[in-house]
Amino acid sequence: MDDLDWNAVGWEELSARAGRVRLPGWDCTTGLVVGDGAALLVDTGSSLREGAALRADTRRLIGPHARVTHIALTHPHFDHVLGTAAFAGVEVYGAAGIDTVFTRGRDELRASAVAHGVPHEEAAEAADVLVVPHHRVCGEWTLDLGGGLQVLLANMGPAHSGHDLAVLVPGTPEVVFCGDLVEESGEPQAGRDAVPSRWPAALDRLLELGGEDAVYVPGHGAAVNAEFVRAQRATLAARFGVS
């Protein structure tokens, strides 16, 4: 595949095969990793409308002869998952246990979306066709996207949510999609499903996965470095009284 023109669709290039877009509203990140004939989307936005826009962007970027084949959901919050049904025939991955949240918690997801400003009809439509991940990641899962590109999905355990997943993209630099384990544009949010006692350890593991020279991509905000992740880890440890 020829070099990708991320700017053509208004996306930010992170490495030769990885990029992302910051969606309007909640400044939520969606990432894309492109291999040879296959592509992985990381999170899908807050509605089917956003999902359809992401699908159009990815088609323009990778051309008519390739498409998104895999989706990784970093955690089960509305602004990261409600656009998934816009991508038909895609293999969807999430941390083990996320399927239970989706099966039993559709009404809660819809209500959360509406409470945060998603129009009621859009939220209800997306919740009705919510895609339960086909593949649940217990530890680590390697996806082969072709062309020698193997992407690692890592279950980070409960931290920001009960079911957090990180995505490691090898290359120069390595890219780590963190979901909301890391946030740059505001203070990390700890809702009812957060497990604060486990959050600092999850950030330790992120740093082990990516190392010192990786680009760390928060769920919200600008891409950061390892120093930022360490500083946020220290802030969270002090905030929640854990080591």
Side-chain angles (χ1 to χ4, degrees), residues 26 46 78-79 82 108-119 123-124:
W26 298 277
S46 63
F78 82 92
D79 48 335
L82 286 182
E108 186 173 349
L109 270 171
R110 174 190 50 74
S112 179
V114 171
H116 285 85
V118 177

Side-chain angles (χ1 to χ4, degrees), residues 33-40 67 69-70 91 93 141-153 167-168 170:
V33 186
V34 183
D36 186 0
L40 167 70
R67 65 180 182 89
T69 51
H70 305 76
E91 296 295 309
Y93 297 75
W141 193 309
T142 300
L143 291 179
D144 188 346
L145 298 182
L149 180 58
Q150 294 188 325
V151 175
L152 181 70
L153 310 183
V167 178
L168 174 66

Side-chain angles (χ1 to χ4, degrees), residues 123-174:
E125 179 185 28
D128 283 345
V129 293
L130 183 66
V131 177
V132 177
H134 311 104
H135 308 285
R136 275 77 77 181
V137 181
C138 294
E140 296 180 350
W141 193 309
T142 300
L143 291 179
D144 188 346
L145 298 182
L149 180 58
Q150 294 188 325
V151 175
L152 181 70
L153 310 183
N155 185 329
M156 307 305 292
H160 166 73
S161 76
H163 310 283
D164 292 308
L165 188 76
V167 178
L168 174 66
V169 185
T172 306
E174 291 191 327

Side-chain angles (χ1 to χ4, degrees), residues 11-83:
W11 286 47
E12 175 187 355
E13 181 176 347
L14 301 168
S15 69
R17 292 298 170 194
R20 66 89 175 252
V21 65
R22 294 166 67 170
L23 300 173
W26 298 277
D27 192 20
C28 182
T29 282
T30 290
L32 181 67
V33 186
V34 183
D36 186 0
L40 167 70
L41 194 73
V42 182
D43 289 342
T44 61
S46 63
S47 66
L48 294 176
R49 176 175 50 82
E50 277 195 339
L54 291 167
R55 183 185 64 207
D57 280 356
T58 58
R59 284 179 173 172
R60 286 176 58 202
L61 180 64
I62 60 182
H65 303 298
R67 65 180 182 89
V68 171
T69 51
H70 305 76
I71 287 174
L73 301 177
T74 61
H75 61 290
H77 291 168
F78 82 92
D79 48 335
H80 296 260
V81 305
L82 286 182

